Amino acid sequence: MMTHLELLEQLRQITGAPNVLTEGDLTAWELDWRKRERGRALAVVRPASTEELAAVVKACAAARVSMVPQGGNTGMVVGSTPDASGTQVVLSLTRMNKVRALDAGNLTITVDAGCVLQNLQEACEEAGFLFPLSLASEGSCTIGGNLGTNAGGTQVVRYGNTRELCLGLEVVTSRGEIWNGLTGLRKDNTGYDLRHLFIGSEGTLGVITAATMKLYPMPVSQLTAFAAVPSLDAAVQLLSLAHRYLSSGLTGFEVMGQFALSLVAKHYPQQRVPFWQESPWCVVLENSDNESEAHARECFERLLEAAMEEGCVTDAVVAESMAQAKALWHIRESIPLAQAEEGLNIKHDISISVSRIPEFVQETNALLLQHFPGARLVIYGHLGDGNLHYNVQAPVDDDQARFLLDEEAPMNSLVYEVVDRYNGSISAEHGIGSLKAEKLEHHKSPVALGLMRSIKQALDPLNLMNPGRVIRDN
Ligand code: FAD
Ligand code: MLT
Ligand code: ZN
């Protein structure tokens, strides 16, 4: 068997020595975004092409060295950083960042997996198209990471998760073979759809190296409104009205609790957050219109009038310009950053049928505060998709590290037990990583877990691809 030193030498020959990092400050690759775990890599390898990546995987497999695919390292569940053993190789995709082709007639774009999401959005916009995936981390996350986690974001209510936007993939398998499935076909029923195995597999089955994604015509107008709503029930009622009045024009519907908005006001005082002091909840919603801005405004006005009449909106502003719309969205997108400024926290990325969310929150809040008095609830998220970030900040003046150590496990159990009773999911959009791998075993049926293990065994028999993530070692 090849030694680690021999492997490193081989990797240097494949990618060039400057692209095999073993020394110096590797924090950017070894520490997860939430600063939950610090790992240690044998090396961070940065291939420049699919062929180089395939050769790297072959070499690591021959040496029986496990690999951790990594894009922008913005994941929320500790899935893209190495463990503490110092024996894993991080496969960083960020040098593979080119747009390969744009097919305007077919409404598709083919792109390297390491392309930063914002660069992809901009390339599409320059060509007159919309690539609708949108997350607050878009300046750093990559399309490969988005596919690896099946990311959601703020446009799912209209365009679906990353999975729905993907037509084809190119993948390097755990053996180092290249599977070219880069098709732009919208209909293809030729056996098992392999693309869907890799999407959402969090680097545990193979490495996504490129993808063919769907494009949409750029809407003529994208209008944003920010509304104060008196309760979560009212927010759900507003969502129903928005579906009715805006139909497929409804492209975003996010809810934000008062405490979540207070954190933005506290940590980013330069942002002017409307209504947060007087309203328990606010909603940001977006209407995309293919006719005209005047038509978009008219639809929004009708919706907001009806909502005020029914008492589900108490006040609202509609952005007058693109800059104002961006500022309103920026408030929503700043919540996870403001939470990080406030300190370490516990995240629950859950989904429940939209209609049952108010009842769920009422029940869980009561239980949680009974068991963890003083805990501060940071509730916000993609209400249009039934996806809440039901997050918790330590009580004021409590030691944050102690809070996490002592309270995270019992608090997760409490929240997930209620999620189960509501037939919800313990991970709506962030994935499982290592943070939720143990929990998954309690929330999936034995049959489902057995099928997942069979897939893992078939595609990665040596358990070298991101081991311990999603499905734990048997
Ligand atoms: P990484 O963090 O590098 O990796 C994530 C996982 O994917 C890991 O398991 C990794 O091994 C795997 N992976 C990475 N690249 C590949 C590849 N090429 N092939 C196979 N597997 C791969 N997520 C949402 O869903 N919705 C949100 O609204 C959202 N908002 C966020 C806001 C902020 C401020 C931050 C910091 C994060 C947010 N996230 C959100 C989480 C995160 O940005 C997403 O999960 C994103 O898709 C991760 O992309 P990445 O390139 O950073 O992947
Ligand atoms: C978001 O919607 O802002 C994210 O998914 C980030 C988070 O959960 O903190
Ligand atoms: Zn989210």
Side-chain angles (χ1 to χ4, degrees):
M1 182 82 63
M2 210 188 303
T3 65
H4 282 172
L5 279 180
E6 286 164 342
L7 171 66
L8 291 175
E9 191 40 46
Q10 206 172 331
L11 298 180
R12 286 186 192 104
Q13 276 166 21
I14 298 166
T15 63
N19 296 307
V20 180
L21 313 178
T22 53
E23 284 165 1
D25 184 6
L26 300 182
T27 309
W29 297 273
E30 292 181 334
L31 178 66
D32 76 293
W33 190 86
R34 291 176 61 198
K35 301 187 171 53
R36 293 297 303 258
E37 280 177 34
R38 169 85 207 221
R40 198 162 64 82
L42 174 64
V44 175
V45 183
R46 304 186 305 157
S49 66
T50 302
E51 290 69 28
E52 277 189 20
L53 181 76
V56 167
V57 171
K58 248 185 208 152
C60 291
R64 298 291 188 269
V65 161
S66 63
M67 292 155 271
V68 183
Q70 189 184 89
N73 195 17
T74 65
M76 290 286 178
V77 288
V78 191
S80 51
T81 45
D83 64 21
S85 66
T87 62
Q88 295 192 301
V89 165
V90 172
L91 304 172
S92 171
L93 277 280
T94 52
R95 289 179 70 225
M96 295 169 57
N97 55 17
K98 305 274 179 316
V99 171
R100 294 192 187 179
L102 189 147
D103 185 340
N106 198 43
L107 284 172
T108 51
I109 187 164
T110 299
V111 63
D112 285 350
C115 185
V116 168
L117 175 57
Q118 194 173 328
N119 296 343
L120 173 54
Q121 292 165 343
E122 285 170 4
C124 298
E125 202 175 327
E126 269 165 35
F129 295 102
L130 172 75
F131 181 64
L133 183 65
S134 176
L135 334 176
S137 54
E138 62 202 22
S140 330
C141 67
T142 62
I143 191 66
N146 303 146
L147 286 157
T149 56
N150 184 27
T154 56
Q155 302 274 296
V156 175
V157 67
R158 165 72 176 87
Y159 300 101
N161 296 296
T162 310
R163 183 186 297 285
E164 278 84 38
L165 297 171
C166 177
L167 293 171
L169 286 183
E170 178 188 82
V171 170
V172 168
T173 70
S174 67
R175 296 178 184 86
E177 309 140 307
I178 299 171
W179 169 54
N180 184 345
L182 285 175
T183 165
L185 301 176
R186 282 171 168 80
K187 298 185 101 172
D188 179 15
N189 281 347
T190 49
Y192 307 136
D193 198 332
L194 300 175
R195 145 191 63 154
H196 286 308
L197 284 181
F198 293 103
I199 298 173
S201 68
E202 301 179 49
T204 62
L205 300 179
V207 189
I208 297 167
T209 49
T212 300
M213 308 298 293
K214 288 184 197 168
L215 296 177
Y216 289 82
M218 189 61 84
V220 174
S221 161
Q222 282 169 300
L223 270 193
T224 300
F226 199 100
V229 297
S231 63
L232 255 188
D233 272 311
V236 171
Q237 202 182 334
L238 175 62
L239 175 62
S240 296
L241 287 176
H243 278 304
R244 179 146 34 105
Y245 279 78
L246 307 178
S247 183
S248 62
L250 179 65
T251 44
F253 195 99
E254 300 281 313
V255 76
M256 299 154 288
Q258 191 166 34
F259 182 60
L261 287 176
S262 80
L263 290 181
V264 177
K266 173 177 169 189
H267 293 287
Y268 306 108
Q270 71 282 14
Q271 292 197 36
R272 297 220 315 276
V273 184
F275 314 131
W276 77 267
Q277 272 152 318
E278 59 266 18
S279 185
W281 299 94
C282 286
V283 165
V284 65
L285 60 164
E286 186 185 74
N287 179 20
S288 299
D289 195 286
N290 287 327
E291 213 175 295
S292 64
E293 180 167 336
H295 184 255
R297 278 194 193 280
E298 215 179 288
C299 295
F300 242 164
E301 273 160 24
R302 278 205 301 265
L303 163 67
L304 291 171
E305 239 169 64
M308 284 191 182
E309 247 167 52
E310 292 196 15
C312 59
V313 165
T314 51
D315 209 345
V317 284
V318 179
E320 288 297 330
S321 63
M322 210 49 198
Q324 235 181 57
K326 276 201 173 126
L328 292 175
W329 272 106
H330 192 47
I331 294 168
R332 155 64 185 92
E333 287 166 354
S334 299
I335 297 175
L337 304 162
Q339 252 210 288
E341 292 288 339
E342 186 73 5
L344 294 171
N345 51 69
I346 299 174
K347 283 186 189 286
H348 303 106
D349 163 40
I350 56 157
S351 59
I352 307 273
S353 153
V354 175
S355 53
R356 301 197 70 197
I357 281 192
E359 188 189 346
F360 167 85
V361 168
Q362 196 183 22
E363 183 175 341
T364 317
N365 283 4
L367 265 176
L368 202 129
L369 292 173
Q370 184 191 335
H371 287 87
F372 307 93
R376 295 176 296 159
L377 302 175
V378 187
I379 306 174
Y380 64 99
H382 319 286
L383 187 64
D385 322 321
N387 174 194
L388 276 192
H389 298 306
Y390 188 89
N391 297 345
V392 188
Q393 213 81 34
V396 189
D397 300 333
D398 201 344
D399 181 279
Q400 294 178 12
R402 183 218 62 83
F403 178 72
L404 240 60
L405 198 66
D406 295 348
E407 320 287 24
E408 184 166 28
M411 192 175 284
N412 288 347
S413 299
L414 183 151
V415 173
Y416 295 149
E417 188 272 323
V418 190
V419 169
D420 269 355
R421 272 197 283 115
Y422 280 71
N423 297 319
S425 167
I426 64 161
S427 179
E429 59 170 9
H430 293 163
I432 298 297
S434 39
L435 267 193
K436 294 185 180 174
E438 189 258 327
K439 275 279 169 246
L440 188 76
E441 292 163 12
H442 301 283
H443 296 271
K444 283 265 180 214
S445 72
V447 176
L449 286 169
L451 291 170
M452 285 170 75
R453 288 208 169 91
S454 308
I455 292 168
K456 171 75 175 168
Q457 173 65 30
L459 270 67
D460 179 24
L462 300 175
N463 194 19
L464 296 177
M465 300 308 308
N466 219 355
R469 268 71 194 254
V470 185
I471 285 283
R472 291 198 300 182
D473 312 347
N474 294 318

